[in-house]
Every structure is written in structure tokens, then in C-alpha cells.
Amino acid sequence: MRTSGQLLWRTTGLLSFLSFLLFATGFVLAMNPQQIAPAKTSPPAPSEQTAPLPAQGVQKVVALGDSLTRGAGDANGQGYAGLVRQALEKKLGKPITFSNLAINGQESTDLVKQMSQSQVKTLLSEADLVLFTIGGNDMFRQTGGLYTIDKEKLAAATKELTANYEEIIRQIRAVNKQATIVYTTLYNPFGDTEASVDTIQPVLDWNYTASEIASKYPHVIVVPTYDLFVNKEKSYLYTDHFHPNTAGYQRIAERVIQALE
């Protein structure tokens, strides 16, 4: 029998998911204003706050973060970052400088420390595009088992993640005022497990928070991925049921490229 707490989580999670779908839909429409504009009307010019650097201007890319940016689970070893690199090189017709500094298992505190390294600062200062993922390890390591979530630890971890995430963006901006920054939000790898009731709400809340923080800085794009995996976990997750598989990374990469175009 479901407890009242479980029912509350499921109801609240459903409402948040519907809100997130509206956000994701808005993202897609923003990437293609003609979908909502009259056929003969030019789309409005993007504001300085959200306008990304055109893909044609990308010569140097730096990738930061955790195993998602490293590409764990991809049989081809590319991950979404490698696929984005390939797509940009194809579009430009020439190689680009690509530095993948992501580390498997990295949490947001680790990334903040990594960014204090002089070599990392130099690479970031020269980048035209910065790709990063962070947060999955912060949140999903707060468990009592693979599919059991400790809510108190999760709340504390999310609070720390929020502070670190803004510090990451702030540090990038401190050394590079112009580069386009792309943060890829979290999907829920536990959506088809018993832990879904405890993870849907925190993931959706975090993705919303990440978008709010990013909106305070120029040229920062937040790319939603939650909808790419919900009810499709078996198709797009790796055998560890945590990382994307090759097809899952392809879906993420396509959305990042869409954002850059």
C-alpha cells in the first residue's frame, strides 16, 4: 500500500515534470522561433543574455565535469562532448582544438578545486566554447544502496551543489567574458525503479535551480535532458543503469548542437 508521503511525492513530482516539459518545449521553440512565429515574420534578435556564439566562431573547446562529459558508457568512447566536437568540425570543415578535462566520479567541489589550477585557467581563458556537466555524483551518491535515497543527505548535497555550480560559472566568467558556456542538466537514471518517488522531485528542482542561476550570467545556455530519458531508460541508459549508452549520448549531443545553432 502506498503511504501518504509516497503519494505526495508522486503528485508533486508529476506537477514538476509537467512544468519541466513546458520548460523543455520552450527551449526547443527558442532554438527555432519560426515554429511559433508567423511564416513571414523574422524572429526577434536574441538578447545579449542568451545569445550563443555562432558555431562558425568556435575554434577552441574546453569540456569540464564528470563521467557524462568524459563519455562513460559510450561504446565509441566519445560521449556527448566528443560528438559535439565532431559535429562542429564537420560544420566548420576543419579541426578544432578540443580539451576534455572531465574526470570520472567528479563532484562539484572537486571541479571547483580543479578550476583553480593554472593550466585549466589558461585553457578556459582561450576557449570559445565551454561544455560541462556536474551534479549527478553530488546527488546520486547520497544513497543507502543503488536505488535507495537518503533524503536528508540529498538535500544537503544539493545545497552544496547549488553554491559550487554558481562558483564554477563565476570562475569561468572571471577568466573569459565571451565564451559560450553550455551546461547540460540532469536526467533521472532511477525513473523506472522504486527510487523514482524519491528522485523525480529533487532532479527537477535542481534543473530549475541551475537554469535560474545561469540566467544571471551572459552567454550561458542550459540544455535540458530529462525528457530525453523519461520512460526511455532501457533504450538510452548503459548497462550500469546510470550513464547514457551510445544512443543516449547521441540524443544529448543533438540537443547541444541544436542550442548552438
Side-chain angles (χ1 to χ4, degrees):
M1 179 179 295
R2 296 174 181 171
T3 65
S4 59
Q6 287 178 319
L7 289 173
L8 177 61
W9 272 96
R10 290 184 182 278
T11 302
T12 310
L14 176 59
L15 291 173
S16 292
F17 178 58
L18 291 174
S19 298
F20 185 80
L21 283 180
L22 289 174
F23 166 74
T25 302
F27 169 84
V28 173
L29 292 174
M31 292 303 102
N32 185 7
Q34 296 290 0
Q35 290 187 22
I36 55 175
K40 295 183 180 181
T41 302
S42 299
S47 67
E48 181 183 2
Q49 184 76 359
T50 58
L53 176 74
Q56 291 87 342
V58 175
Q59 299 182 44
K60 295 184 178 181
V61 178
V62 174
L64 300 167
D66 50 29
S67 53
L68 295 181
T69 297
R70 195 77 245 172
D74 183 359
N76 297 321
Q78 295 275 22
Y80 85 91
L83 292 170
V84 169
R85 173 194 184 179
Q86 284 186 343
L88 289 174
E89 289 182 334
K90 182 177 181 181
K91 186 178 186 68
L92 294 169
K94 62 181 181 180
I96 61 175
T97 302
F98 179 75
S99 303
N100 193 335
L101 308 179
I103 300 172
N104 289 341
Q106 186 154 244
E107 296 185 14
S108 60
T109 300
D110 303 317
L111 180 52
V112 170
K113 292 177 181 177
Q114 182 188 20
M115 293 177 66
S116 67
Q117 300 172 11
S118 59
Q119 183 180 8
V120 175
K121 287 183 177 180
T122 298
L123 289 171
L124 286 172
S125 70
E126 299 172 349
D128 303 304
L129 173 64
V130 179
L131 307 172
F132 82 102
T133 56
I134 204 69
N137 294 318
D138 294 65
M139 296 180 67
F140 296 135
R141 280 180 176 168
Q142 314 311 315
T143 66
L146 183 57
Y147 301 136
T148 305
I149 304 299
D150 186 318
K151 295 178 184 177
E152 291 185 1
K153 289 183 178 179
L154 178 58
T158 304
K159 182 178 180 180
E160 184 175 21
L161 169 60
T162 300
N164 287 336
Y165 170 80
E166 182 153 18
E167 178 63 14
I168 291 163
I169 296 177
R170 190 197 67 76
Q171 286 196 29
I172 296 173
R173 275 290 164 259
V175 298
N176 191 322
K177 304 296 185 185
Q178 298 300 322
T180 297
I181 301 171
V182 177
Y183 174 69
T184 302
T185 61
L186 301 183
Y187 56 88
N188 186 6
F190 306 118
D192 61 345
T193 73
E194 293 181 359
S196 63
V197 69
D198 294 325
T199 53
I200 291 174
Q201 187 67 42
V203 172
L204 292 173
D205 286 348
W206 162 248
N207 289 341
Y208 181 79
T209 298
S211 299
E212 278 196 317
I213 293 172
S215 69
K216 298 189 295 184
Y217 296 85
H219 310 308
V220 180
I221 303 172
V222 174
V223 176
T225 65
Y226 192 101
D227 60 306
L228 298 179
F229 292 85
V230 68
N231 296 326
K232 306 179 187 74
E233 292 86 356
K234 289 182 173 60
S235 298
Y236 297 119
L237 289 182
Y238 184 56
T239 54
D240 63 3
H241 208 282
F242 189 81
H243 296 95
N245 57 22
T246 301
Y249 278 117
Q250 181 66 47
R251 287 169 68 81
I252 295 174
E254 288 171 355
R255 186 159 282 183
V256 172
I257 289 297
Q258 182 185 28
L260 291 174
E261 291 176 344

